[in-house]
Amino acid sequence: MDWNQAYLDANTPWDKGMPSPVLVELLGELSINAKIVVPGCGTGNDIVALLDANPTSVIGIDIAPEAIARLRKRFDGNPVVHPVLGDFVLHAKEHPASADVVIEHTCFCAIPVAMRSAYASACSQILRPGGKVMGVFYWMPRDTDDITIGPPFQTSEAELHELFGPDFDLHISVASVGFPDRVGRELRVVMTRRPIVNDERTQGSV
Ligand SMILES: C[S@@+](CC[C@H](N)C(=O)[O-])C[C@H]1O[C@@H](n2cnc3c(N)ncnc32)[C@H](O)[C@@H]1O
């Protein structure tokens, strides 16, 4: 998938021009002054909502130069928002234990399924102990069990436990709010990073 070309072609059906209703619902669970990272942030619709929680910083990371260019323009002069052009997995390696919260919305479902364990390790790496992954995971984007169709690639509660369970305590429910075409197809997820005990992934060795 050429994400940058999709932005250049305005072929971005995922970009709803507003934050995910699930994230808006989760804002009450964000502590103030948090250092937040948003992987696959696109043009920053979710970041608009996150600013209401008075964070210390919001790092928006995306591999598509066009998305990051639009993000820079959108938040030009805002001292809290830091656009980063790059791969979330590499960024996490370079910034271990630097964040309080990772916000997930349509990044996990966009990456190849084979990259998912690297994504989960990146969340473990970039969060301080006690930090959280919060957000919305696409559970069933289409009426099929075929996990190879995508993006978006679907997931399951069992897969999230398998990937994140070793390092996180997970709270998962089917989201009761959402964009009209997604209600009942997304999981509302809050995962809390357990204390780190001799974890080589936090030492940049993945
Ligand atoms: C489906 S779009 C969602 C964008 C945004 N979250 C939204 O809802 O508007 C997926 C985004 O993830 C970005 N992306 C894909 N792989 C990535 C990676 N490894 N690191 C950072 N961003 C990535 C793409 O460039 C794209 O902007």
Side-chain angles (χ1 to χ4, degrees):
M1 173 84 190
D2 187 338
W3 296 104
N4 197 50
Q5 197 59 48
Y7 284 103
L8 291 171
D9 294 344
N11 181 20
T12 53
W14 58 82
D15 191 327
K16 308 292 189 192
M18 61 176 70
S20 159
V22 187
L23 286 184
V24 173
E25 193 185 76
L26 280 166
L27 280 185
E29 297 192 28
L30 268 177
S31 49
I32 60 164
N33 298 329
K35 293 180 183 167
I36 301 175
V37 177
V38 188
C41 60
T43 59
N45 295 323
D46 293 320
I47 291 176
V48 173
L50 294 171
L51 292 177
D52 287 345
N54 292 319
T56 296
S57 62
V58 182
I59 295 176
I61 306 173
D62 205 288
I63 50 167
E66 181 62 18
I68 290 297
R70 292 184 201 176
L71 189 69
R72 285 205 177 101
K73 199 168 167 193
R74 188 172 193 172
F75 295 101
D76 187 29
N78 186 317
V80 172
V81 179
H82 305 281
V84 172
L85 174 62
D87 182 336
F88 170 55
V89 173
L90 296 179
H91 179 87
K93 271 184 202 164
E94 289 161 6
H95 299 86
S98 61
D100 300 310
V101 179
V102 171
I103 295 290
E104 165 55 37
H105 175 220
T106 54
C107 183
F108 182 85
C109 70
I111 59 176
V113 172
M115 258 188 75
R116 285 183 170 178
S117 60
Y119 176 102
S121 294
C123 290
S124 297
Q125 265 182 323
I126 203 165
L127 285 170
R128 62 162 178 80
K132 293 181 193 297
V133 179
M134 296 172 66
V136 48
F137 285 71
Y138 234 141
W139 166 46
M140 177 64 84
R142 295 181 201 83
D143 294 315
T144 171
D145 290 334
D146 188 344
I147 62 164
T148 66
I149 300 177
F153 298 103
Q154 65 194 43
T155 188
S156 64
E157 202 169 330
E159 185 189 21
L160 295 181
H161 276 283
E162 191 182 321
L163 287 171
F164 293 91
D167 289 349
F168 290 88
D169 294 319
L170 283 74
H171 288 94
I172 302 178
S173 57
V174 176
S176 58
V177 295
F179 294 123
D181 56 337
R182 296 190 193 167
V183 175
R185 295 173 183 270
E186 291 180 318
L187 297 172
R188 179 191 196 273
V189 176
V190 177
M191 317 186 197
T192 306
R193 178 74 167 99
R194 289 199 205 95
I196 299 165
V197 184
N198 294 329
D199 186 343
E200 62 177 17
R201 284 171 299 179
T202 61
Q203 285 144 42
S205 57
V206 172

